[in-house]
Amino acid sequence: MNTKRIARIIGSGSYLPEKVLTNKELESMVETSDEWIVTRTGIKERRVAGENEYTSTMGIKAAKEAIENCNIDPEKLDLVIVATCTPDYLFPSTGALIQKEIGAVNAAAFDLQAACSGYIFALSIAKSYIESGFYKNILIVASEKISSIVDYEDRNTCVLFGDGASASVVSFEGKGLEIRDVSLGTDGNQSDLLILPGGGSRIPSSEQSLKDKQHFLKMEGREVFKHAVRLMEVAANECLSSAGIEGRDLAWLVPHQANIRIISAIAKRFALKEENVYKTVHKYGNTSASGVAIALDELVRTKEVAKGENVLLVAFGAGLTWGASLLTQN
Ligand code: ACO
């Protein structure tokens, strides 16, 4: 008898704030145009959290939907991992805030910071804990209120980002997407390319740090772009070859939703047709860690992923970090 434990995503859910920020509205905030944003990024609009919405509250909504989706008792959750780079507070963790509100009284909880790659990093932990027998049921929440760290006077960045959350229940039992493989990487040499300088222990918040706008994210867009395409290809190749499959064996590619040109470049490198690449970037922009998870949740809700079909997730982000995960429906 095969007693190998298999980690599967058995439930998923998402939450997008109601408030829509269109390119037209951004035209009145910074010197930009709908035409520039659409041709350079593919983004038409993005969601922005309302006044009383935070990374935790959006994450709670996504988590409750995921829990309901697979009908699991929250008391059976052993762990809550929250992938975010915009936690409510530096501490306590957003994981602790979410754990309380969803009634996961038996779960440990922590935050994981790998920027836009965070959801894939979290999948690797869930897979390892479940397959080793350490835990049985794990909730991953990827939630970001990126609008809280965006400078809406900086046209280089403010047009790109949006807010949103997604959640997945990963379990040792039940049907769903098996986490076949995960491949991760980091290059700290490129840490300056995408950074939130202020508010940490190096540049604590002060009158001067606020004046210098150190509490807003800074990005070398063109450089990040180049690395993004290269690193997502590396991650995807590593993941596929360790699972012994090729690009043509994929039913779906779900890439990080940062820029339509990056997505198209990746699809081209794996000779995938546009219709096999799932995209949400036009309507939500770059929602960092939650981007790939929101897209996956939408994919499984709106399209049929048949038994045996393969889905490849691939992402990159600040760090620089990158990761890919191969999922197979079974
Ligand atoms: N509207 C109009 N013009 C603009 C805007 C704007 N919103 N933003 C920049 N420009 C200008 C620039 O100032 C520049 O002008 P210049 O040539 O006079 O200097 C010109 O447009 C072209 O700038 P580029 O940087 O060459 O534009 P590019 O084609 O590279 O597109 C972009 C910029 C969209 C930022 C792209 O580089 C990109 O998507 N990079 C990747 C970003 C990313 O994916 N980050 C994800 C990580 S997120 C995370 O981990 C949290």
Side-chain angles (χ1 to χ4, degrees):
M1 196 174 92
N2 184 2
T3 53
K4 184 181 180 295
R5 279 167 179 263
I6 291 175
R8 292 186 182 90
I9 300 172
I10 62 160
S12 78
S14 289
Y15 174 77
L16 277 307
E18 261 177 43
K19 193 173 161 200
V20 175
L21 177 61
T22 63
N23 290 350
K24 204 90 214 132
E25 287 168 276
L26 282 163
E27 283 180 2
S28 65
M29 295 160 69
V30 287
E31 204 185 321
T32 191
S33 66
D34 174 56
E35 199 262 334
W36 191 96
I37 302 171
V38 171
T39 52
R40 297 295 183 108
T41 72
I43 302 167
K44 294 183 177 138
E45 57 186 42
R46 68 290 291 143
R47 301 295 178 92
V48 178
E51 218 168 275
N52 297 312
E53 285 187 310
Y54 316 105
T55 296
S56 65
T57 57
M58 292 188 288
I60 288 161
K61 287 187 173 147
K64 285 186 171 167
E65 194 175 270
I67 287 167
E68 215 178 283
N69 181 242
C70 61
N71 210 13
I72 192 171
D73 177 353
E75 295 192 4
K76 285 198 171 160
L77 293 171
D78 302 303
L79 180 67
V80 176
I81 308 173
V82 177
T84 187
C85 60
T86 50
D88 285 28
Y89 313 111
L90 274 180
F91 63 87
S93 70
T94 302
L97 306 180
I98 293 178
Q99 182 249 16
K100 166 181 167 258
E101 289 299 325
I102 62 171
V105 290
N106 297 309
F110 64 84
D111 290 0
L112 184 159
Q113 217 288 52
C116 301
S117 313
Y119 177 73
I120 295 177
F121 275 59
L123 281 180
S124 76
I125 296 174
K127 177 177 166 64
S128 310
Y129 276 177
I130 285 170
E131 294 185 357
S132 67
F134 190 67
Y135 281 143
K136 290 181 172 158
N137 301 301
I138 296 177
L139 174 73
I140 298 174
V141 180
S143 183
E144 300 277 23
K145 185 176 170 181
I146 297 287
S147 62
S148 66
I149 56 166
V150 163
D151 178 1
Y152 284 97
E153 293 180 350
D154 174 15
R155 70 175 185 175
N156 291 298
T157 53
C158 75
V159 303
L160 304 173
F161 295 96
D163 300 332
S166 193
S168 309
V169 176
V170 183
S171 180
F172 76 115
E173 61 183 355
K175 284 200 158 82
L177 288 163
E178 176 186 341
I179 305 169
R180 285 261 302 273
D181 249 297
V182 186
S183 148
L184 307 173
T186 299
D187 180 5
N189 286 312
Q190 312 294 341
S191 53
D192 288 345
L193 294 182
L194 188 43
I195 185 165
L196 177 65
S201 61
R202 192 175 291 215
I203 307 175
S205 298
S206 65
E207 219 172 289
Q208 192 60 46
S209 78
L210 290 179
K211 220 184 269 174
D212 297 341
K213 293 191 164 198
Q214 304 280 39
H215 55 299
F216 291 131
L217 74 86
K218 324 272 176 214
M219 181 175 72
E220 305 272 346
R222 214 173 300 184
E223 278 305 301
V224 173
F225 191 112
K226 280 192 275 183
H227 290 295
V229 177
R230 183 178 59 82
L231 295 173
M232 286 209 288
E233 186 182 9
V234 167
N237 267 329
E238 212 173 282
C239 199
L240 291 178
S241 68
S242 111
I245 74 164
E246 294 183 21
R248 64 168 177 267
D249 301 320
L250 295 175
W252 290 99
L253 175 71
V254 182
H256 178 43
Q257 307 287 319
N259 185 317
I260 197 70
R261 293 186 292 141
I262 297 176
I263 292 173
S264 297
I266 285 294
K268 218 164 149 189
R269 291 186 187 200
F270 289 90
L272 287 165
K273 293 191 195 123
E274 284 291 321
E275 60 261 33
N276 298 112
V277 182
Y278 201 79
K279 297 167 211 139
T280 57
V281 66
H282 55 290
K283 52 184 180 177
Y284 304 143
N286 180 352
T287 61
S288 185
S290 66
V292 84
I294 291 170
L296 177 65
D297 177 53
E298 213 176 274
L299 168 69
V300 296
R301 280 170 195 278
T302 59
K303 314 267 177 198
E304 179 140 3
V305 183
K307 195 164 186 237
E309 282 189 340
N310 296 311
V311 178
L312 185 73
L313 310 180
V314 61
F316 73 96
L320 295 175
T321 56
W322 59 92
S325 180
L326 178 70
L327 310 174
T328 303
Q329 185 73 276
N330 64 32

